[in-house]
Amino acid sequence: MKGRNMTRWRDPAKDPRQEPKSNLITAEGAARLRAILDHLSRVKRPAISAKVGEAAAQGDRSENADYTYNKKELNRVIARIGYLTKRLDELQIVDRLPADTSKVFFGAYVSLEDQKGEHVHLRIVGHDEIDTKKRWISIDAPMAKALLGKEVDDDITVLTPNGETFYTITEIRYQGM
């Protein structure tokens, strides 16, 4: 079976993409996804639909690149709207602080110090909110799993591509929840 959707075969038992993802999201993340969905539904989809209509009115669709491009773009936007609608229904919004704010839980901002004395600041968020520039990591990431339930001055070990890395938690804080 050949085609554009073919990729190399992966053993489902060993494929990390097959692991179940948590359905947690912060209130800000849910609001951001709703805003994207609203923009796609109210602004982008009608605009692209109008472009498709204009291109279709020009005649022969088989040789009309404008029609073909806009039709593909419209299908992409419709698929994204469907995905976001379904995903927002599945998500569980975490909008309150944990009972014990001295430990690392979902939504925590954590400061770490490695063996060299370098500081790392990150936040544990849902899979849909990952942002590498802000150093927001998924709750499903190995680093987040190692941090969950730990307190200030606890040591953690994380397996990285360069080997094991040791960190000490220097600060835990929550804000905006």
Side-chain angles (χ1 to χ4, degrees), residues 16-26 33 83 87 90-94 106-107 124-130 137-141 144-145 148:
R17 297 175 304 166
Q18 301 299 323
E19 293 177 9
K21 303 283 187 246
S22 63
N23 286 329
L24 300 176
I25 192 167
T26 62
L33 287 182
Y83 170 78
R87 187 70 180 142
E90 295 171 348
L91 292 172
Q92 178 183 354
I93 300 171
V94 178
F106 181 81
I124 299 174
V125 294
H127 180 71
D128 300 286
E129 301 174 272
I130 298 170
I137 63 171
S138 170
I139 192 165
D140 300 318
K145 288 179 180 178
L148 289 175

Side-chain angles (χ1 to χ4, degrees), residues 87-102:
R87 187 70 180 142
L88 281 167
D89 288 341
E90 295 171 348
L91 292 172
Q92 178 183 354
I93 300 171
V94 178
D95 57 354
R96 62 178 186 261
L97 293 172
D100 185 2
T101 57
S102 67

Side-chain angles (χ1 to χ4, degrees), residues 55-120:
Q58 293 175 1
D60 187 12
R61 295 178 187 172
S62 65
E63 295 182 8
N64 189 337
D66 196 32
Y67 174 81
T68 304
Y69 171 77
N70 286 313
K71 187 69 174 173
K72 285 181 181 179
E73 184 69 12
L74 179 62
N75 288 335
R76 190 186 67 78
V77 168
I78 290 170
R80 183 76 175 151
I81 289 170
Y83 170 78
L84 287 174
T85 303
K86 182 180 175 189
R87 187 70 180 142
L88 281 167
D89 288 341
E90 295 171 348
L91 292 172
Q92 178 183 354
I93 300 171
V94 178
D95 57 354
R96 62 178 186 261
L97 293 172
D100 185 2
T101 57
S102 67
K103 293 185 178 183
V104 178
F105 293 108
F106 181 81
Y109 289 88
V110 183
S111 297
L112 305 168
E113 185 177 346
D114 65 7
Q115 293 173 316
K116 299 174 188 172
E118 296 177 11
H119 293 274
V120 178

Side-chain angles (χ1 to χ4, degrees), residues 123-136:
R123 183 178 187 198
I124 299 174
V125 294
H127 180 71
D128 300 286
E129 301 174 272
I130 298 170
D131 188 344
T132 55
K133 291 178 185 173
K134 294 180 180 179
R135 297 204 53 112
W136 288 8

Side-chain angles (χ1 to χ4, degrees), residues 4 19 29 40 43 98 118:
R4 65 174 188 214
E19 293 177 9
L40 290 174
V43 178
E118 296 177 11

Side-chain angles (χ1 to χ4, degrees), residues 22-42:
S22 63
N23 286 329
L24 300 176
I25 192 167
T26 62
E28 314 93 73
R32 194 169 28 258
L33 287 182
R34 280 193 210 97
I36 292 169
L37 177 61
D38 186 56
H39 174 74
L40 290 174
S41 300
R42 295 179 188 255

